[in-house]
Structures are given as structure tokens and as C-alpha cells.
Amino acid sequence: ETGVTQSPTHLIKTRGQQVTLRCSSQSGHNTVSWYQQALGQGPQFIFQYYREEENGRGNFPPRFSGLQFPNYSSELNVNALELDDSALYLCASSNPWDRVPEAFFGQGTRLTVV
Amino acid sequence: KQEVTQIPAALSVPEGENLVLNCSFTDSAIYNLQWFRQDPGKGLTSLLLIQSSQREQTSGRLNASLDKSSGRSTLYIAASQPGDSATYLCAVSPPGNMLTFGGGTRLMVKP
């Protein structure tokens, strides 16, 4: 059983640029959620995808967008990067039909915007 | 809007102590509560999940309790070790696993 994997692990971008982060869900999981974690804070929910459709969204502007593919992997896209977008981006996968629907996290992508 | 608070924000204890981390939430209509461990700059490792119908879960030296009516959970760590040093996060969710996290407790266990 493979775990949740994210790529890349680290990334440096310039303000105003666009970035794409990738996540492969754990085998058997059809739901992927993305979180932003600023330094010293708890993660904040960005959005969730279930069967390729956005299934819920947190308080993030439209320049944060996502996709989920038929194999349940997912991308997070951020346009017009701002300095405050610098954070650890975490992906979690789960299956709501599991007897215990636990969320499993990847190792994260550290994004630095300069 | 669900809000999750963790107290204390930081804790330093000598090796061998038993300790309790606290988590409180404002909306008792939760489906799951999960405790996670996070090492510096790393992802989250799930420690324990308590479903809303349960009162506690145990794994090794860890025991987590849930009191939905009062909006509280505690994580008890027995016989702490230096390897337990990390940030501990609690998170609650409605059905669907859209987690709302607390700010975490940074634990340092000194040899």
C-alpha cells in the first residue's frame, strides 16, 4: 500500500508567478484535501476534491485552484503569487466510505515566494 | 464557524514525565477528532482518531479522550521520551474529513 506523495518537496518562486503542486493519493483513497500551513501555525483547509469535483472550499481566494484526475491524484495551482503564500502545502487523502475514514498526509511542499 | 484551540502552545518537560495536551472546539457537531504529530518542516503523522460515538482511543503510550458535549479532547502521553519532541496538532471534522486544526502544542522532552 503506497502512502501519500507530494512533489516537489521544495520550491522557490518570484512574486507574481504561478505554481503547480502535485499530490498522489494513497491507494484506495478517492478524496484529496489541500492545506496551507504558515510557519508556527496549524494547517488551514484550502479545498477538497472528491471524484474529480471540488467538494468544499475554505477561505482562500480564486487564484487558488485545483484539479483531481481519474486516478485520484491532484494538483494545486496558485496564480499571481504573493509573499504571504510562502508556506508548507500539505495534501491529505481519505476514503469517506472506509469504516474509519482517516486522513493521511503527505510530507508537504515547502513554497517560498521571494 | 468551527474554532479549535490548543493549550499550552509550548511545553518543556524532563524525560519520564506523564503529560496532558489539551484541545477545545467550539462546535460539538463533529464527526471525527484526530491527533497528529509533526516534526519540524515535515508532514503530519496520524496518531489517534476518535469517532464522535467514541470516548477514547489508545495506542501504546498515547491515550486520547473526547468529550463532545464540553467540546474538549485531551492527549495523554505516558513516560515521555526525548523522541516524543515534536508539535502535536488536533483537528476536528464534519463528515467528509475537511479538517479544522488547532495551532498545535510544541513539546520538548529533555533528557
Side-chain angles (χ1 to χ4, degrees), chain B residues 70-109:
Chain B
S70 66
R72 293 180 183 176
S73 176
T74 60
L75 178 66
Y76 176 82
I77 303 177
S80 58
Q81 303 171 357
D84 294 331
S85 298
T87 295
Y88 291 81
L89 293 153
C90 77
V92 299
S93 68
N97 260 339
M98 300 171 204
L99 300 170
T100 300
F101 283 86
T105 294
R106 291 182 299 283
L107 173 65
M108 171 80 71
V109 181

Side-chain angles (χ1 to χ4, degrees), chain A residues 1-72:
Chain A
E1 178 176 285
T2 58
V4 180
T5 58
Q6 293 185 242
S7 62
T9 55
H10 295 84
L11 201 52
I12 300 175
K13 287 287 191 177
T14 303
R15 190 171 51 182
Q17 283 188 316
Q18 179 266 344
V19 69
T20 297
L21 310 182
R22 295 179 175 83
C23 172
S24 293
S25 60
Q26 183 164 307
S27 176
H29 287 180
N30 54 20
T31 301
V32 173
S33 303
W34 286 92
Y35 296 82
Q36 180 196 66
Q37 186 178 26
L39 201 60
Q41 299 182 20
Q44 299 291 315
F45 173 70
I46 303 174
F47 45 55
Q48 182 183 89
Y49 279 83
Y50 171 67
R51 292 187 174 181
E52 303 176 58
E53 301 265 339
E54 187 178 292
N55 189 42
R57 189 178 183 93
N59 189 27
F60 280 82
R63 61 189 184 85
F64 285 77
S65 63
L67 283 173
Q68 187 178 33
F69 300 100
N71 66 355
Y72 303 130

Side-chain angles (χ1 to χ4, degrees), chain B residues 9-21 35-40 45 47 59-63 75-89 104-111:
Chain B
L11 184 61
S12 181
V13 300
E15 182 177 4
E17 274 204 8
N18 302 323
L19 54 100
V20 174
L21 308 182
W35 281 93
F36 295 90
R37 169 186 171 136
Q38 186 175 35
D39 293 297
T45 300
L47 298 173
S59 176
R61 294 183 293 109
L62 305 179
N63 175 276
L75 178 66
Y76 176 82
I77 303 177
S80 58
Q81 303 171 357
D84 294 331
S85 298
T87 295
Y88 291 81
L89 293 153
T105 294
R106 291 182 299 283
L107 173 65
M108 171 80 71
V109 181
K110 297 174 289 186

